[in-house]
Amino acid sequence: MDRTGAYQPEDDQLDFISFAAHELRGPVTVIRGYLDVLTQELADDGSSEHQALLSRLTVSANRLSTYISNILNASRYDRRHLKLHLRERALVDIYRSIGDDMALRASTQNRVLDVQLPADLPTVAADMSSLSEVFANLIDNALKYSNEGGTVTVSATADGNYVRVNVIDRGIGMPSNVVSNLFHKFYRSHRSRETVAGTGIGLYICKAIVESHGGQIEVKSEDGRGSTFSFTVPIYAAVAEKLAASDNSNEELLRSAGGSWIKNHAKYRG
């Protein structure tokens, strides 16, 4: 049965929002540039109050930039297969590309970010830019939903032919009816809409990226006790032959796993 019509309002909504996001990207980039200049100029002679203010402004500008990227990526992912070129990467290097920004976000929100990524983990098959976006989205969510002064832990272990990454918070948690809808596009619970800013597509993007790497994403949560988001990404040695046969494209990897990334994938189970 053709259910295209059932998705049309959601797709039209994303079309409009992505157009607005595209128009906002330029001004936000300029704002971030000026903030970088101000931060450098006031590094030595600025007061502690000014430094704290600039830090908060930088975090807010970076978060807005992340929202814009999420919206544009969601629009792009909906319209074609998510094609990536996966190369051999160390997980610690992927995280390092966003580590400073994550640490700044945590300190500005009075959270503790505890990152435990062993240097001796097997290398993974990854698109660095996309996978760093998954890290950023999951950590940003954990920080937002943590309690004042709370700790967010990021850890990773080898798990068969995969590396499993866990992002753990001990914050407000979620009831089961919320967990079941988390990876749907634009979904936000009544409680989160009232208390935390966001677009409702960050986790949708995480799911798209992780599954396009040949991995899986899941969440375990208990209301009032916190949440654990986990995702897997294949160890490079386990998929090197498939990648070499397809010029590092992820298409052969997804085909051999029996998966495909299709329009309306928000209907997939999270």
Side-chain angles (χ1 to χ4, degrees), residues 140-204:
D140 194 42
N141 270 358
L143 293 172
K144 288 189 292 186
Y145 291 101
S146 292
N147 298 315
E148 182 80 6
T151 297
V152 170
T153 302
V154 182
S155 63
T157 57
D159 184 3
N161 288 330
Y162 296 85
V163 168
R164 177 175 295 276
V165 178
N166 297 312
V167 179
I168 306 167
D169 72 74
R170 300 159 187 85
I172 63 175
M174 296 170 285
S176 59
N177 65 308
V178 171
V179 171
S180 63
N181 289 299
L182 277 180
F183 295 99
H184 289 199
K185 184 168 51 182
F186 295 127
Y187 176 77
R188 303 196 72 218
S189 69
H190 177 73
R191 180 169 57 179
S192 67
R193 286 197 304 269
E194 290 182 342
T195 59
V196 180
T199 59
I201 58 175
L203 292 176
Y204 172 80

Side-chain angles (χ1 to χ4, degrees), residues 227-241:
S227 304
T228 297
F229 283 84
S230 301
F231 68 90
T232 57
V233 60
I235 291 173
Y236 182 78
V239 296
E241 188 174 331

Side-chain angles (χ1 to χ4, degrees), residues 211-225:
E211 293 191 351
S212 295
H213 277 74
Q216 294 183 326
I217 189 168
E218 62 185 14
V219 58
K220 297 178 181 178
S221 188
E222 186 176 350
D223 199 10
R225 301 287 296 272

Side-chain angles (χ1 to χ4, degrees), residues 7 10-11 14 74 77-78 180-187 200-201 203-205 207-208 211 260-270:
Y7 294 95
E10 186 178 79
D11 291 341
L14 184 57
Y77 297 162
D78 269 1
S180 63
N181 289 299
L182 277 180
F183 295 99
H184 289 199
K185 184 168 51 182
F186 295 127
Y187 176 77
I201 58 175
L203 292 176
Y204 172 80
I205 294 300
K207 181 177 173 67
E211 293 191 351
S260 62
W261 197 250
I262 58 174
K263 186 172 173 64
N264 298 330
H265 46 272
K267 286 292 183 182
Y268 281 23
R269 182 173 57 87

